[in-house]
Amino acid sequence: MPDLRTPEQRAHDAEKRAAWEKDRRALAQSYALTFGTETGRRVVQDLEREGKVAEPLFGLGDSGPVDPIRFGALEGRRQLILYLKALIEEGVKGEPQ
């Protein structure tokens, strides 16, 4: 599909993208500094456990009907912790994931 944007729009989009990437790198470095310590790693491990990151959510309804609100809340927790871990890793490596 052809790019229908004007050269000005493309330049503007490139500037916005560069600013976003710079902000993202700075944020990732902050996450890595905050959670890269022994104490920070313990906090992340606790969040992983509480957020049930390693547990499959599809087995929740094995004992009866699935509560979609509970399922959504658990998945939201899981996604937030995965986001946190991705930013930590990105900050450590210095490159976007």
Side-chain angles (χ1 to χ4, degrees):
M1 175 176 264
D3 187 352
L4 302 177
R5 297 174 297 162
T6 65
E8 292 82 14
Q9 289 171 324
R10 283 194 290 276
H12 176 74
D13 290 348
E15 287 175 17
K16 282 178 61 177
R17 176 73 182 180
W20 178 87
E21 287 174 355
K22 181 181 176 186
D23 290 344
R24 171 90 179 192
R25 279 191 300 274
L27 184 61
Q29 288 174 344
S30 295
Y31 271 70
L33 286 172
T34 302
F35 294 103
T37 64
E38 182 61 35
T39 303
R41 284 189 286 278
R42 271 199 312 268
V43 169
V44 171
Q45 287 173 346
D46 181 58
L47 290 172
E48 287 176 330
R49 187 176 51 257
E50 289 298 315
K52 304 187 184 333
V53 171
E55 297 177 25
L57 296 179
F58 286 104
L60 288 176
D62 289 348
S63 60
V66 173
D67 177 356
I69 294 172
R70 180 169 183 260
F71 185 85
L74 290 173
E75 180 59 18
R77 275 189 205 177
R78 197 175 84 75
Q79 287 297 318
L80 184 59
I81 294 163
L82 293 173
Y83 169 79
L84 175 114
K85 289 181 66 173
L87 273 179
I88 294 167
E89 188 174 328
E90 188 176 314
V92 169
K93 290 183 177 179
E95 58 191 42
Q97 296 295 310

